[in-house]
Amino acid sequence: MKKFLIVLAGVAMLSSSCEDKLDVNPRGVLNEGQVSNAEQAEGFVIAAYSHLGNDEINRGNSLWQYGNVRADDAYKGGRDPGDGQGFHFMETFVNTRPDMWEIDGMWFQQYVGVRRANEGLRILNNLTEEEFPLLNVRKAELRFLRAHYYFQLKILFNRIPYMDENVPADQYKFVTNVEFTSDEIWEKIAQDFEFAAANLPITQPQIGRANQTAAYAYLAKTRLYQAYAQNEQHTVTSINQQRLQQVIDAADKVISSKYSLQPDFANNFLTGTYENGVESIFAVQFSKGDGTANGRLNWGDMLTVPQGLGCCDFQKPSQNLVNAYRTNATGVPLLDSYNTTNVDFSQNTVDPRLDHTVARPGNPWKYEPSRVFTESWSRSPQIYGYYNSMKENVSPDDPGFTNVDPFYGNTKPRIILRYADVLLFKAEALIELGRHNEALPLINQIRSRASASTVRLKNEQGAFTANYLVRPYEPGVNIDWTQENARQALRFERRLEMAMEGSRFFDLVRWGVADQVMNSYLTVEKTRKEFYKDGLFTKGKHEYLPIPQNQIFWSENRYVQNPGY
């Protein structure tokens, strides 16, 4: 029987975080002074893991509001623009303010995780390996988790205060958010992952604990972000070749590991025997029947359940995203012209990853031919259309599907890092190093897997639900594989492969193209969606969220606000 790392902690439904402070004691955690042995110290490690799943509907650790809705992949959804209004402000980039409780809550959420990791490390530093044989492994896990929370803070807010285990919690407010440069913060995050990679085992006895491969995967991701040097306007000024090589070195450790691509793309987003499969490098575990009232469910994703199954029809895939899956006669994307017209499913060929990512009326829901997704499942189609997000959702017959009225959650693990992501990290680094020919087979591995992922995409009559056609890139046949074309193909591939997994907006910021892509997107979407009519992305401002005003007050004005706010 597989052993799971079960972490139990309360999940609060917050309508405001105006009282959230970084010096609030974590719930359900012993005071440091009460810890006297290794068993109690282990509880602090579990508490740091626990916080990975301690999100709630308005501050989801899946980052769907921040990485998908702020990008060109998804509309906010819900009842109307006033439902979850703060996220409407974020998707249009209008009226995003430092005093928004959603933003304050997200800052607080991540720093609770940082504090838990720091307190655990401080306690472990008082023990010896004789007292606690797993001492260095547990230190490595805590540094992995701390780096994860800081990574999320960095991509969300950019200017962040950095505190390690040597800073007591009552001193946090005295640490400014401009003490370190951007590169120095990235380096601290990278050093935590390097320590984790050097001290974690290749295999952990409990599913859910970070292992050595997960540390290398996250290290590759961190070095990739660090490689893109940007000025105050978030324009890319240089790409560090040493960092790119470090991406490749870390990614190679993952590629040579036990992990691999799933043979079918769908397997990554199914439950039961498919959970924690060969492509899932690190994932948050959820549960039910664990002694808590409703189980430890995926609160952060609950709002995305279609109205036809429960509540509340948020995160609606955009028409732009759906159009991106069109392919030409040779089976490759329409890189430049995909959005000139909307896809016609009776005429156009499409990449099958579309129907693993987006629910469309007339298609089976989660590969169940007898359960057809219909237009009636959409809550406000006149505003947000008829598409729904599939990856994070499950069948209503799934044992983990749970009614927590009015919401519906599930226990499917939330994948944070998967093997395909790492292949694309390496491919991106190779392309930016001018070694684009070496990147080609990595991208084509993913495209070949997509081509083979059509088995489940059939209706009740056994017919395919679209005209599927996706082929590898063949230089001289369907693409001229120059560095520039390879870069465009790589960036498009990341979108198709990772859509609705919370990374799109942060990719655009890393590449320094968020203003170009988002303003082009908004220009077209204003003709399709009324709620976008005032949308405008301001370069040098909207790449990051504002530093929450509540936290600036708490720091007694030591924190410096991000530009433009």
Side-chain angles (χ1 to χ4, degrees), residues 173-277:
K173 69 187 298 181
F174 300 109
V175 179
T176 76
N177 67 332
V178 291
E179 180 178 356
F180 300 106
T181 66
S182 178
D183 186 70
E184 287 171 339
I185 294 290
W186 282 126
E187 188 60 31
K188 288 180 178 293
I189 294 170
Q191 286 174 3
D192 272 353
F193 286 130
E194 286 180 336
F195 181 89
N199 290 278
L200 287 173
I202 295 175
T203 301
Q204 288 273 29
Q206 292 173 307
I207 294 172
R209 289 190 185 272
N211 62 23
Q212 183 183 85
T213 307
Y216 277 122
Y218 229 142
L219 178 60
K221 185 175 185 178
T222 300
R223 292 301 190 191
L224 186 61
Y225 275 77
Q226 186 182 18
Y228 289 81
Q230 299 188 2
N231 61 20
E232 283 295 308
Q233 289 296 305
H234 310 307
T235 299
V236 175
T237 56
S238 64
I239 305 178
N240 188 301
Q241 295 200 355
Q242 178 187 357
R243 299 301 181 209
L244 294 176
Q245 185 58 52
Q246 290 174 323
V247 174
I248 294 168
D249 294 342
D252 281 343
K253 296 289 188 180
V254 178
I255 293 169
S256 63
S257 73
K258 65 179 181 179
Y259 296 94
S260 62
L261 292 177
Q262 285 277 9
D264 191 317
F265 186 72
N267 294 357
N268 289 301
F269 313 106
L270 292 171
T271 58
T273 58
Y274 295 105
E275 294 179 6
N276 302 296

Side-chain angles (χ1 to χ4, degrees), residues 235-412:
T235 299
V236 175
T237 56
S238 64
I239 305 178
N240 188 301
Q241 295 200 355
Q242 178 187 357
R243 299 301 181 209
L244 294 176
Q245 185 58 52
Q246 290 174 323
V247 174
I248 294 168
D249 294 342
D252 281 343
K253 296 289 188 180
V254 178
I255 293 169
S256 63
S257 73
K258 65 179 181 179
Y259 296 94
S260 62
L261 292 177
Q262 285 277 9
D264 191 317
F265 186 72
N267 294 357
N268 289 301
F269 313 106
L270 292 171
T271 58
T273 58
Y274 295 105
E275 294 179 6
N276 302 296
V278 295
E279 193 166 338
S280 177
I281 296 173
F282 186 67
V284 181
Q285 307 300 310
F286 298 101
S287 60
K288 63 183 296 186
D290 51 21
T292 59
N294 296 306
R296 186 169 176 77
L297 305 174
N298 65 331
W299 283 92
D301 291 309
M302 283 188 189
L303 289 179
T304 73
V305 176
Q307 199 73 9
L309 296 180
C311 182
C312 293
D313 207 38
F314 280 74
Q315 189 177 214
K316 305 282 279 182
S318 70
Q319 186 65 54
N320 184 290
L321 175 64
V322 172
N323 290 343
Y325 286 96
R326 292 169 59 196
T327 58
N328 65 18
T330 62
V332 298
L334 305 175
L335 297 175
D336 296 310
S337 59
Y338 73 93
N339 200 41
T340 54
T341 60
N342 290 342
V343 60
D344 181 341
F345 292 102
S346 67
Q347 299 293 324
N348 301 138
T349 56
V350 297
D351 187 317
R353 284 174 291 187
L354 166 65
D355 287 329
H356 296 293
T357 305
V358 178
R360 298 188 287 119
N363 281 7
W365 172 254
K366 293 300 284 192
Y367 319 115
E368 297 180 26
S370 61
R371 179 175 278 117
V372 178
F373 183 86
T374 69
E375 291 184 353
S376 66
W377 288 28
S378 290
R379 184 178 179 186
S380 301
Q382 73 282 5
I383 302 175
Y384 297 112
Y386 293 102
Y387 301 130
N388 272 88
S389 177
M390 286 184 66
K391 286 180 176 178
E392 74 279 13
N393 281 304
V394 301
S395 164
D397 294 332
D398 187 274
F401 190 66
T402 305
N403 181 352
V404 282
D405 189 45
F407 309 111
Y408 288 75
N410 66 66
T411 60
K412 183 166 66 66

